[in-house]
Amino acid sequence: MELRRKMAQLASKDRFSFHMPGHKGRFPGLFGQYDPTELPGLDNLHDPRNTLKDAQDRVAEIYGAAKTFFLVNGSSGGIMAAITALVRPGELVLTPRNCHKSVLAGLILSGAMPLWVDQTLCPTLGHWLPPTAAALEGALAPSIRAAILTSPDYYGYVPDLASFIGACKKRATYLIVDEAHGAHLHWGHGLGLPPSALPLGADLVVQSPHKTLPALTQSAWLHVKNPALAGPLQETLNILHTTSPSYLLLRSLEFAGTWADTWGAAALRRLYYLAKALSLRSSQLGLELPLARNRDWSKFLLPRRRGTEALLRSRGIYPELVQGNLVLFMLTMADALAPAGIAALYALLPSLAALSPMASEKISPPPFPRQEITPREAWEKPGQRVPLARARGRISRQVLAPYPPGTMLLCPGQRLETEHVEYLLDLQAKKVIPSWLEVI
Ligand SMILES: Cc1ncc(COP(=O)(O)O)c(C=O)c1O
């Protein structure tokens, strides 16, 4: 079916959105029809001097950054630029194994060598728990040029940023934080939300306002705390940015920052009470999950039961993710403005609780292959596409990071042994990944 028709069809069904984008269609002013290019007076994203510079400076001031860059290719673009700006070929970058696939793109572009930090998989819920402070600090050798951490992750989990930032500063290691899911945290004071990495002192923080604030899909920004890094960042962004950035996206970034600065704290406070009502009712109904306390509660999680997705859809409720035995609902400030979606979900909780539970299966962590060469070295070599079963003993040239949530499974430069191939074959049988792999 034509995309235009498919979108119209979906728009009529998707009445209560609990997924990205964070504006949830409640800000009609965002969808203006005027789509200009760099006309006189509209400034230039590659060398901002007036209108765009003012908008970026205003957002920097709101967040307390030395400099903020607007991005039109999501946090993905910002993460690639951050790594490429800071790290040279062969230098070490420390990163937990559940990083977003854009980190791999940054490693390929920069030529850096990843040093993977291991994590524990929650055996009942099947998502990665954040790396512990001990694992992070234990891995932080003096030769590491930069570290990149995700905080919060797709499920709202955060590592102990404060202690790790201190450790990075002692060793002069740059810290980049993938805060794609945390643009709203700035307004969460006193609401039990984890802190943003920016006031804690991370060097670079990348956020996707399109996920949690009223901004258009793809629009993101990168905050620079360490002013010495602003020049290299602008140069790197200038080679990665499109030469035709959408002013609709740029304008939506200006709007998201100023709107949240005016209304964000009040909207988030209201959302907090709505989310509390949801979680209280769901635990009364036995829909409780064993979740960590220090977590972003705006990622509301429920256990998946048989038929959960169909029941939600029948009421026009579209969650962000239904995966394994979890259902993830993204609550944003937009839900506080028009809580009909939360009311519909609240009303449906007893029916969700009445569904029969899924068979509980203990989930074991996927085995992690050894990184033998840099992702760039692997990428530069001629590859061969082989059926997965024949990839044993070979080095991957390919990124495997099924979306959502785009978490890394396999990085170029990693060698596949029997256990890795068996794990991938299992995923292939579940149609999560393709049946072939590009290897060298
Ligand atoms: C943890 C994390 N980092 C980065 C990104 C990339 O963000 P964007 O979609 O804005 O490029 C995502 C996207 O879902 C993500 O989940």
Side-chain angles (χ1 to χ4, degrees), residues 296-335:
D296 174 2
W297 47 257
S298 73
K299 300 285 189 300
F300 180 62
L301 293 168
L302 283 180
R304 182 182 180 190
R305 301 247 160 122
R306 285 181 202 282
T308 299
E309 201 173 4
L311 180 56
L312 289 168
R313 293 232 167 132
S314 72
R315 305 299 159 94
I317 298 176
Y318 278 64
E320 165 67 24
L321 179 81
V322 180
Q323 193 180 55
N325 41 23
L326 282 181
V327 189
L328 167 60
F329 300 84
M330 281 187 65
L331 313 178
T332 72
M333 293 171 184
D335 291 301

Side-chain angles (χ1 to χ4, degrees), residues 21-62:
H23 59 67
K24 306 209 171 179
R26 307 243 163 81
F27 295 82
L30 276 180
F31 308 98
Q33 296 297 306
Y34 185 52
D35 178 22
T37 183
E38 283 104 338
L39 294 175
L42 290 187
D43 210 353
N44 176 352
L45 188 61
H46 292 250
D47 181 19
R49 290 170 185 222
N50 42 71
T51 327
L52 283 177
K53 179 181 180 303
D54 292 348
Q56 292 188 150
D57 288 352
R58 173 96 183 87
V59 172
E61 195 189 321
I62 290 169

